[in-house]
């Protein structure tokens, strides 16, 4: 019976949702681990907690705020461009592009904090926060989604093939 609402032999209510619990676990463990590590780093380095949606505490001066906006909008543009460029491959390359841009943005933030911040430990906290956050996200991704590493390696091979 090829009626409306059927999905290739599987009824509408018979869809596979076994990916939901690992996703919820990944998000919960990642958020809790990053929050815990950041709390410990703030206590060790004696750095004030920055407000999440406040511009006044997240930038050391107006130049930092302006260049950070360029990175944010440029990163979004590069990610959207990569999304359209690699649309037929269904790859994670747009996400990788976003991570590269955020790494450059983080390096600029560390430079500005080292040069202009009142607390000399601000840039150390930013560096350690970026490194530990990246390690936690990568570790949790591989732990909750074991096939993720192979997909990422396939994307790297795809990118290497396009560059050559």
């Amino acid at each position: 019976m090829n009626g409306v609402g059927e999905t290739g032999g599987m009824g509408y209510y018979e869809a596979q949702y076994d990916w939901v619990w690992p996703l919820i676990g990944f998000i919960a463990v990642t958020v809790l681990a990053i929050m815990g590590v950041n709390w410990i780093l703030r206590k060790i380095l004696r750095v004030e907690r920055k407000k999440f949606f406040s511009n006044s505490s997240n930038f050391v001066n107006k130049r930092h705020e302006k260049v950070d906006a360029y990175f944010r909008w440029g990163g979004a543009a590069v990610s959207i461009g990569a999304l359209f460029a690699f649309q037929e491959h269904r790859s994670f390359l747009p996400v990788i592009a976003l991570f590269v841009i955020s790494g450059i943005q983080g390096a600029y933030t560390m430079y500005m904090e080292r040069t202009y911040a009142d607390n000399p430990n601000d840039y150390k906290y930013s560096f350690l926060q970026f490194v530990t956050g990246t390690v936690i996200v990568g570790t949790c991704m591989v732990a909750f989604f074991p096939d993720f590493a192979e997909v990422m390696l396939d994307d790297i091979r795809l990118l290497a093939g396009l560059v050559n």
Side-chain angles (χ1 to χ4, degrees), residues 26 30 34 99 131-145 148-149:
F26 166 75
T30 302
I34 288 174
F99 282 135
V131 170
T132 57
T134 304
V135 168
I136 289 170
V137 168
T139 303
C140 288
M141 185 63 82
V142 172
F144 283 97
F145 304 105
F148 177 73

Side-chain angles (χ1 to χ4, degrees), residues 109-126:
T109 297
M110 287 178 254
Y111 165 74
M112 292 301 285
E113 287 176 346
R114 182 175 180 162
T115 307
Y116 299 107
D118 297 332
N119 187 348
N121 289 334
D122 278 349
Y123 80 96
K124 295 175 189 174
Y125 173 74
S126 294

Side-chain angles (χ1 to χ4, degrees), residues 1-153:
M1 182 170 145
N2 291 331
V4 175
E6 292 203 16
T7 55
M10 182 184 307
Y12 181 76
Y13 294 106
E14 298 171 5
Q16 295 290 324
Y17 292 109
D18 55 348
W19 56 270
V20 173
W21 289 112
L23 180 64
I24 291 171
F26 166 75
I27 291 170
V29 169
T30 302
V31 167
L32 290 174
I34 288 174
M35 287 175 61
V37 168
N38 287 347
W39 181 77
I40 290 169
L41 288 174
R42 275 196 313 272
K43 295 298 177 189
I44 291 172
L45 295 173
R46 294 180 182 90
V47 175
E48 286 184 30
R49 182 174 177 251
K50 296 178 181 178
K51 293 184 171 92
F52 196 65
F53 290 109
S54 171
N55 283 344
S56 62
S57 67
N58 292 334
F59 305 112
V60 293
N61 56 25
K62 289 292 184 188
R63 178 178 174 215
H64 181 204
E65 186 175 1
K66 182 187 279 187
V67 173
D68 191 77
Y70 290 143
F71 278 123
R72 256 184 282 127
W73 289 106
V78 167
S79 292
I80 291 170
L83 183 67
F84 285 122
F86 299 106
Q87 166 178 333
E88 67 270 359
H89 299 293
R90 302 255 185 231
S91 70
F92 283 97
L93 290 174
V95 176
I96 293 170
L98 186 62
F99 282 135
V100 168
I101 295 293
S102 68
I104 296 168
Q105 180 181 7
Y108 180 74
T109 297
M110 287 178 254
Y111 165 74
M112 292 301 285
E113 287 176 346
R114 182 175 180 162
T115 307
Y116 299 107
D118 297 332
N119 187 348
N121 289 334
D122 278 349
Y123 80 96
K124 295 175 189 174
Y125 173 74
S126 294
F127 174 73
L128 291 173
Q129 180 186 24
F130 183 76
V131 170
T132 57
T134 304
V135 168
I136 289 170
V137 168
T139 303
C140 288
M141 185 63 82
V142 172
F144 283 97
F145 304 105
D147 296 334
F148 177 73
E150 186 62 33
V151 170
M152 293 303 288
L153 287 173

